[in-house]
Amino acid sequence: MADCSDIEATTLDADGIDNNNATLNGNIVIADIPPPDTSIVFWRFQWGLTPGLGNVTPSRSSEVFHLASSNPQEEPITALVPGTAYYFKFITTLSDGVTPCGVGDPQTLSFTTSGTPPAGGAPAVTTGDFVGESDLGSMPFRGVITPA
């Protein structure tokens, strides 16, 4: 695996945006380091209804080519609220899938789903305490969804 100081994550514009879905996009670049020519890099997206984010996608890993200017990654998110602004950023992590790893702080971008927002606005989502051990496929947290 590449050293954290060799990895740069860039948040790219979301696409495939409709009333309830979007695809989040990011890119990974690894600096010039000795072979092997590829490294396994762990990544995920943080996203939410405010620039403070609050949600995370599952951690993923990808084989990334050194010195390649384009190692695009994507993650679809679903069950979004029509006509609502969302914020997101792409981060690379250590193999634990949680600890940020990479150069700089990736930019937070936003998009708005199509359609008309529901009367009363979007529901509020509040995450709570961590409730268990994590693996690379899940992050158990308690949370509350308050209808608008």
Side-chain angles (χ1 to χ4, degrees), residues 9-74:
T10 303
T11 307
L12 303 175
D13 289 334
D15 59 19
I17 302 164
D18 63 23
N19 286 3
N20 304 109
N21 308 286
T23 299
L24 307 181
N25 295 293
N27 190 56
I28 301 169
V29 175
I30 299 179
D32 185 12
I33 60 176
D37 292 326
T38 63
S39 285
I40 300 299
V41 175
F42 295 85
W43 56 271
R44 67 183 182 174
F45 289 89
Q46 297 174 331
W47 64 279
L49 294 169
T50 69
L53 308 172
N55 300 297
V56 295
T57 63
S59 180
R60 308 277 188 216
S61 62
S62 297
E63 184 176 28
V64 175
F65 293 89
H66 295 268
L67 293 178
S69 61
S70 183
N71 288 288
Q73 311 301 321
E74 64 180 31

Side-chain angles (χ1 to χ4, degrees), residues 44 46 59 91-100 134 136 139:
R44 67 183 182 174
Q46 297 174 331
S59 180
I91 62 167
T92 49
T93 68
L94 295 177
S95 61
D96 64 7
V98 176
T99 307
S134 67
L136 294 180
M139 292 296 303

